[in-house]
Amino acid sequence: MSVEQNKETARRLYEELITFRRPELLDELVAEDAVDETVQGGRGGRDDFRAHVQGVWDTVEGVKATVTDLVAEGDRVVVFWRIEGVQRRPLFGAPPSGRHFTGNSISWITFRAGKIVRYNVLPDRLGILQQISPRESANG
């Protein structure tokens, strides 16, 4: 597959699968033996991706994932993207807040034959936590 096709698949992961809640796309976008490095204690495979995506949907109400840039070479794509929504479940150790947040992330994805075989993400945890954590009043 071409670099441009891999970039388009990466874009679809966020903008179609995540934002438009289309779990049926997992079979099309993700290889059966793929590794989602974000899943702690996962067994590998597409089921880890399914669990990751479901976790995002459960945690972030009205989630919107927007790709802001893509850089690719060979079988690798680096995705710069933004997530936004309302936190409904614990996130990065913070209890559910009901607050809207926006966060930037960078993901790196490896492809084989046009499907994702390895995935990892580096979210802006601090920026997100600053938005969802309880705020202390100026009076103490």
Side-chain angles (χ1 to χ4, degrees):
M1 300 303 272
S2 75
V3 168
E4 290 306 314
Q5 289 169 316
N6 289 344
K7 287 168 68 174
E8 181 58 26
T9 298
R11 181 180 303 283
R12 293 182 68 206
L13 176 71
Y14 298 98
E15 296 183 352
E16 292 182 37
L17 175 67
I18 299 293
T19 299
F20 294 121
R21 297 180 68 109
R22 295 190 54 204
E24 72 276 8
L25 290 178
L26 278 167
D27 292 344
E28 180 182 338
L29 304 177
V30 178
E32 181 60 42
D33 62 343
V35 175
D36 183 341
E37 295 176 346
T38 67
V39 177
Q40 299 291 328
R43 296 181 308 269
R46 200 177 286 140
D47 286 342
D48 282 354
F49 280 82
R50 192 172 271 90
H52 181 165
V53 169
Q54 187 63 54
V56 171
W57 290 336
D58 292 345
T59 303
V60 186
E61 180 183 317
V63 66
K64 181 178 179 186
T66 305
V67 172
T68 58
D69 200 6
L70 297 159
V71 178
E73 184 173 331
D75 64 353
R76 309 273 321 253
V77 177
V78 177
V79 184
F80 298 83
W81 59 285
R82 181 176 55 253
I83 186 171
E84 57 186 289
V86 176
Q87 180 208 13
R88 295 295 180 201
R89 290 206 174 165
L91 181 60
F92 304 138
S97 68
R99 291 191 175 102
H100 183 273
F101 71 92
T102 301
N104 293 304
S105 296
I106 301 170
S107 297
W108 48 102
I109 304 172
T110 305
F111 290 85
R112 180 184 68 230
K115 290 193 176 189
I116 296 167
V117 293
R118 185 168 295 279
Y119 176 84
N120 209 329
V121 62
L122 179 62
D124 177 13
R125 286 186 174 97
L126 178 59
I128 292 171
L129 284 169
Q130 288 174 331
Q131 295 172 67
I132 63 175
S133 295
R135 297 174 182 98
E136 294 185 31
S137 72
N139 296 329

